[in-house]
Amino acid sequence: MRRRGAAGVPCLWLLALLAGAAGQQLPRAVSPAPGGGGGSGGNTSSAAAAAGAACAAAPGGGPWGLAAIGEPTSGLPASAPRVLVCLISSGVAARSPYLVHNAWSGCAAEDPLDPGGCALPWGSPADGAGNWKPRGTYAASIIAARPGLDPRVGGVIPGGASLHVVPVNPDSGSIEPGASAPGGRSRLRAYSVCEGRLRGLQAQDYGAPGGAPRWRMVVLADLTSAGPAEPIGSGAMRVGEAEWLAAATGVTAEGRAPDVLLVAPAGEGAAVAFPAAFPQALAVGALTCAGGPARSYSGGAKLGPDLLAPGQGVLVPDVRKEGTAGLRVWEGSAAAAAFAAGGAARLWAAFPGCSVDAVRRALLSSRPAGGGAARLNLGAARAYLAASKC
C-alpha cells in the first residue's frame, strides 16, 4: 500500500535505518504517598526534587498537570477508541500496574506489518545490552496511566488507549541497539513502522460492517536533534524527512482525508529542535506549574513551540528492574509532548468526524490574553470542536 503526497513521495515502510537524537529527560526520585500504590520508592533531599514534588498536586487533589490542562472538567469520554498512539521512544514496561489496562502492541524483531523489524525490545525498558531505559514508560504513563494507584499520578486517557511502541535507543535515537549509531536517519524508519501499524489496523476493517470510525493515529516522536534527518534511498526513491512528513500527514493514497498527527517535544536547546521544527509537527514546549513557559526559544525554523503543556514537577511511576518503586519527577518538553499527544488522541476519539486540521486548531484554541503560545486545555478544545459541528 502506498501513500503519495503532492511531490509523489511513496510510503516508506521498508526504507531503513534511521537515527534521531533523543531529547533530555530529568528524572528525580520522590517518596511514595502514604498508603498509596506506589510501592517503597526512595526519598530524596534534593531541593529541586522537593520543588517539583510541591507542584505535583492540584488544589482539589490529583496531579497538577491534569488540572492544568482541564482534564477533570473536560467532559470528554475517558478512553480513546479507534485512535492509535504510536510512541517512538525507549521500550515500555507495559505490564506495570499503571499501564497494564491499555491495549498494547509494538514493533518486534519479526513483524508481518514491518518485515524490517525492530532490534530493541518494545515491551521492556531493557535495551538488550543490560541497560535500563525507562523514558518510554514515563511518556506512556503521562498518556494513559490508570488512576487510583497513587493520587499523585494519572494519565490524560485514564480509561485506556491503544498504544504501539517503536523502541529506539534514547541516547542516540537509533532504532538499532548501538548507542554509536548516527543521529538522524532512523526517524524515517520509525515513522514508517508507525504508518505500517496504522495501515494494518485500517486494512482489518475492509469488508467489515460499517458504522465504526476509521482508525487514525497520533505519533509521539520522543526524539530531538539539531537538524533534519538525512535523506534515505537513492535516485527517484531518495526522500528527505520534510518530504516524508508532507506525504505521511497529507491526503492518503485512497484520496481520504489526512489521518496522522505528529507531536514532538520542542527540546531543551536555544532553538526548537527537529522534528518538532517541521511545519507538519505540533511542537510542544514545557509549562511551569506557575503557568508560564519553562524556557524561551530563538532562531531556527520555528520561533517557538506551537503549544505549551505541563513540563515541571510531573510525577511518573519509577519503574525499575525489580518492579515499580515509588515515583519520579520527570520534566521538560518531552513530558509536555506526552500530555499533548494524549490530549490529541482523546479529543480526536471523541470527535471522529473532525479532520486532523480541526483537531490541531482546537488544541491551539486556548491562548493567554497577553499573547504567546497556546496552552493545552481539553475543555476549550472540546468546546471548539463541538461548535464546529464536524
Side-chain angles (χ1 to χ4, degrees):
M1 183 179 296
R2 289 176 180 266
R3 167 198 288 274
R4 291 186 178 271
V9 179
C11 173
L12 304 175
W13 301 2
L14 306 181
L15 291 177
L17 289 172
L18 113 155
Q24 182 181 12
Q25 72 179 46
L26 301 173
R28 312 185 190 102
V30 176
S31 59
S40 56
N43 293 290
T44 178
S45 58
S46 164
C55 69
W64 86 267
L66 293 183
I69 67 171
E71 187 278 330
T73 58
S74 68
L76 292 169
S79 60
R82 313 285 293 183
V83 177
L84 177 68
V85 178
C86 192
L87 174 59
I88 304 174
S89 188
S90 64
V92 172
R95 295 183 181 179
S96 162
Y98 289 91
L99 297 173
V100 70
H101 67 296
N102 294 291
W104 289 99
S105 60
C107 181
E110 296 293 335
D111 191 322
L113 294 179
D114 182 58
C118 295
L120 293 164
W122 71 264
S124 169
D127 68 356
N131 301 309
W132 194 252
K133 307 289 185 179
R135 182 189 183 93
T137 304
Y138 298 162
S141 298
I142 291 174
I143 294 169
R146 182 172 65 185
L149 298 179
D150 188 301
R152 299 170 295 174
V153 175
V156 181
I157 313 174
S162 297
L163 294 105
H164 188 71
V165 182
V166 181
V168 297
N169 186 309
D171 297 322
S172 67
S174 176
I175 206 165
E176 299 298 329
S180 61
R185 288 183 301 186
S186 64
R187 281 206 299 264
L188 294 172
R189 174 90 168 103
Y191 299 154
S192 299
V193 174
C194 290
E195 189 183 8
R197 179 62 180 174
L198 175 64
R199 302 303 164 214
L201 290 172
Q202 291 173 341
Q204 291 175 6
D205 289 340
Y206 290 162
R214 180 177 168 87
W215 277 93
R216 292 136 290 149
M217 179 169 68
V218 174
V219 178
L220 174 55
D222 182 23
L223 306 167
T224 59
S225 67
E230 298 176 19
I232 60 175
S234 59
M237 294 295 291
R238 185 174 174 81
V239 178
E241 189 171 15
E243 296 171 290
W244 198 99
L245 290 175
T249 59
V251 176
T252 70
E254 298 89 353
R256 293 178 180 269
D259 51 15
V260 177
L261 175 64
L262 175 67
V263 178
E268 315 308 324
V272 174
F274 287 86
F278 285 111
Q280 297 86 0
L282 186 68
V284 186
L287 190 70
T288 68
C289 53
R295 65 181 305 109
S296 60
Y297 296 84
S298 61
K302 278 184 180 176
L303 296 180
D306 301 306
L307 183 68
L308 296 179
Q312 180 187 28
V314 179
L315 294 182
V316 293
D318 185 11
V319 179
R320 305 179 185 178
K321 290 183 179 180
E322 61 271 20
T324 301
L327 305 177
R328 283 265 170 183
V329 173
W330 191 38
E331 300 186 326
S333 62
F339 274 100
R346 188 170 169 188
L347 188 67
W348 209 356
F351 294 89
C354 292
S355 68
V356 65
D357 289 337
V359 171
R360 184 183 179 114
R361 289 194 299 270
L363 292 169
L364 300 178
S365 64
S366 182
R367 295 184 180 274
R375 268 62 168 171
L376 179 61
N377 185 307
L378 294 185
R382 182 198 60 77
Y384 181 97
L385 291 182
S388 71
K389 301 186 185 304
C390 53

